[in-house]
Amino acid sequence: MSSVPQPPRTYNQNHAPRKYTPGKRRVSIYWTWSYPWETNRSTTELDNRFSTMTEVRRVAWPAYEGTEWDEMHFLQGIAGTLELFHRSTLAFQKVVGEVTGHSVAIFQRIDQAGYKLPIDERILADTDTLMVFGLDHLLSEQEAASEEIEAVREWLKREGTCLLLGPHHDVGFTEDRKQRQLEYTHHGDGLVPRQQRFGQYTRSMMKALGVQVMNQFGLRPAIVKGTSQIAPLTISKDLDKLGLLNGVTTFNFHPHLPHYALTTDDTKSIHVLTRQPIDLDRPHPFTQAGNTEFNSFIWMPPNAQRAGNILLADSTIFTTLFGGVESLETFWKNLATMPLASGMQATKTQAIA
C-alpha cells in the first residue's frame, strides 16, 4: 500500500454531474456485470466464474501476502477479485483526471448494494466518452434493453461523443474438451477456468448498433525474445485518422486477450487499427489455422446516422493488474484528448445545467 496520504474515499452516493468544459472530455466507465450474481457464484463451479481472492493469492504468491490483503483488511471471496478490477483502473482515472480536469465516473450495471443502473440519460448527459467494460459472464444473461440502445443511439448523434466497447475473452466456447485444454495451456493462467465466456451485454449492444465484430478466444501475446516485454503492436498508421496511436508502440501484457473478429467485408465503415502478435510457442486452434496476430483495437468513424466514434478495445488495456508501460499511458492520454465539438454547437448540445 502507498505510504502517501490518499484522498478520502466515498461510497454509495449519488453521482454528481460534471459540467461541460470547452475542449475537456468527460470519461465514464460502465462495468456490465451484476456484482451480486458474480460474487454469489458457487466456488464449487469450475467454469464461468471469477476466481476468489484466496485463489488469486495462491496463484500469484507472494504478491498478495501483505497484511493489507488478509481477511482483516480485504475480501477473500470472489468479491475481493472484483474489487481488484476496480482498484486496477485507479492509475487510468488519475491520468485522465489530470489531462481533462474531470474525474472519471464509475458505474456498475448492478452494484454491491443491489442497485441496478441501466445506461440512460443519467449516465450519458455528462459523458463524452463512455467505456463499456464487458466482464459479465454469458451465464448471467445481461442484455442491453431496447431503451438503453435507443438512449445510446441518441447520445451518439451528439458531436464529439465516443463509445468504447470492451467485450472480454471467450475461452473454451467449444464442447470439445481437448480444445478447451489446448486453449488453457496456451494462455497459461491458472486463474482462468477451461471455459470462461464473457460479454453478453456488449454483444447485445454491438448487434443493435450494427457493430459487426465478435469477441473470440483468449490469446496470449508474444513477448520480445529474451525479455518479459510484450511484443510491439502492428499499427495501421494510415487508418489512424484521430491520432489515437501517436507515440504508442505497445499496450500492456495480458495472457488471454480477445480477438475482435470482423463479421463484415466493409473496410470503409470499420478499421482495424492494431494487431497484436501471438505467442506462437504455445499451440492454439487460432494459430493452427494460420493466424499469427489478432485484432486488438478497432475504430468505426462517424457516419450518416452517428456523429460519434465507436472504438473496440479490451478493458485490461485500461488497468494495471498486469503491469503498465509508458506507451500505454500515452494511449490513455490520446483517448482523453480526442477533439470535442467546439463553439456554440458544443455549448448547446453538451452543457450541463
Side-chain angles (χ1 to χ4, degrees):
M1 300 286 283
S2 173
S3 59
V4 178
Q6 299 297 308
R9 295 179 59 82
T10 62
Y11 175 67
N12 209 24
Q13 298 188 44
N14 293 332
H15 171 62
R18 298 158 294 184
K19 290 188 176 181
Y20 170 71
T21 305
K24 298 295 185 179
R25 188 168 287 274
R26 295 159 297 180
V27 177
S28 299
I29 292 173
Y30 185 82
W31 297 95
T32 61
W33 57 39
S34 163
Y35 193 103
W37 189 94
E38 301 291 353
T39 58
N40 284 328
R41 286 283 282 160
S42 171
T43 56
T44 63
E45 295 286 343
L46 295 182
D47 295 328
N48 295 303
R49 70 168 175 85
F50 287 105
S51 55
T52 65
M53 188 62 191
T54 302
E55 290 166 326
V56 170
R57 288 175 55 206
R58 181 184 298 118
V59 171
W61 190 92
Y64 294 99
E65 291 309 296
T67 56
E68 64 268 32
W69 304 110
D70 67 20
E71 65 275 10
M72 235 355 227
H73 299 89
F74 201 77
L75 297 163
Q76 297 300 298
I78 292 173
T81 300
L82 265 59
E83 291 305 322
L84 287 182
F85 281 100
H86 282 306
R87 285 191 175 210
S88 70
T89 64
L90 290 176
F92 172 77
Q93 294 174 57
K94 182 176 184 295
V95 168
V96 172
E98 290 174 349
V99 169
T100 66
H102 292 296
S103 61
V104 177
I106 309 294
F107 303 105
Q108 299 178 88
R109 186 157 183 77
I110 305 179
D111 69 11
Q112 294 91 324
Y115 291 104
K116 184 173 182 177
L117 179 63
I119 295 178
D120 59 22
E121 189 62 15
R122 292 171 295 173
I123 291 174
L124 299 173
D126 75 326
T127 295
D128 303 303
T129 294
L130 177 63
M131 310 176 79
V132 182
F133 288 170
L135 268 80
D136 56 297
H137 281 89
L138 264 60
L139 291 181
S140 70
E141 300 180 343
Q142 301 301 311
E143 294 266 354
S146 58
E147 294 83 0
E148 293 178 272
I149 299 299
E150 186 56 32
V152 172
R153 279 203 188 102
E154 286 300 311
W155 175 74
L156 283 169
K157 293 178 181 178
R158 195 177 87 195
E159 188 180 359
T161 53
C162 177
L163 175 65
L164 187 144
L165 298 166
H168 200 32
H169 65 239
D170 187 0
V171 168
F173 66 91
T174 176
E175 293 302 314
D176 184 340
R177 292 183 180 179
K178 289 184 178 179
Q179 179 172 324
R180 287 193 192 180
Q181 181 64 10
L182 186 62
E183 291 185 45
Y184 178 78
T185 55
H186 169 78
H187 65 68
D189 187 345
L191 291 172
V192 172
R194 268 62 175 184
Q195 185 180 78
Q196 190 172 45
R197 309 193 65 190
F198 283 115
Q200 182 60 34
Y201 183 87
T202 42
R203 284 181 173 182
S204 65
M205 181 166 285
M206 287 153 57
K207 180 179 179 180
L209 295 177
V211 178
Q212 294 180 295
V213 174
M214 178 60 72
N215 57 312
Q216 296 178 340
F217 299 117
L219 297 158
R220 187 180 184 93
I223 60 173
V224 177
K225 295 294 184 183
T227 75
S228 59
Q229 300 301 311
I230 188 171
L233 295 161
T234 299
I235 301 174
S236 299
K237 293 186 178 180
D238 58 319
L239 298 176
D240 183 24
K241 305 301 184 183
L242 297 177
L244 296 174
L245 297 163
N246 289 345
V248 177
T249 55
T250 64
F251 297 145
N252 57 341
F253 180 84
H254 183 77
H256 29 79
L257 288 165
H259 167 53
Y260 288 142
L262 301 189
T263 58
T264 177
D265 295 325
D266 179 6
T267 57
K268 293 184 178 180
S269 66
I270 187 164
H271 306 298
V272 178
L273 298 187
T274 69
R275 295 177 175 85
Q276 179 65 57
I278 306 168
D279 187 341
L280 300 179
D281 294 332
R282 297 166 176 254
H284 189 282
F286 189 66
T287 58
Q288 290 175 339
N291 299 288
T292 60
E293 300 178 315
F294 62 87
N295 300 340
S296 57
F297 184 41
I298 288 175
W299 170 48
M300 293 180 64
N303 57 28
Q305 292 76 41
R306 171 171 47 80
N309 295 281
I310 295 178
L311 304 173
L312 285 98
D314 189 62
S315 58
T316 55
I317 293 173
F318 306 97
T319 73
T320 53
L321 274 179
F322 299 88
V325 291
E326 184 178 347
S327 174
L328 187 66
E329 186 170 317
T330 299
F331 178 61
W332 295 348
K333 290 178 179 178
N334 291 345
L335 281 171
T337 55
M338 286 175 61
L340 277 170
S342 59
M344 291 302 295
Q345 180 64 20
T347 303
K348 181 179 178 181
T349 61
Q350 292 180 293
I352 298 297

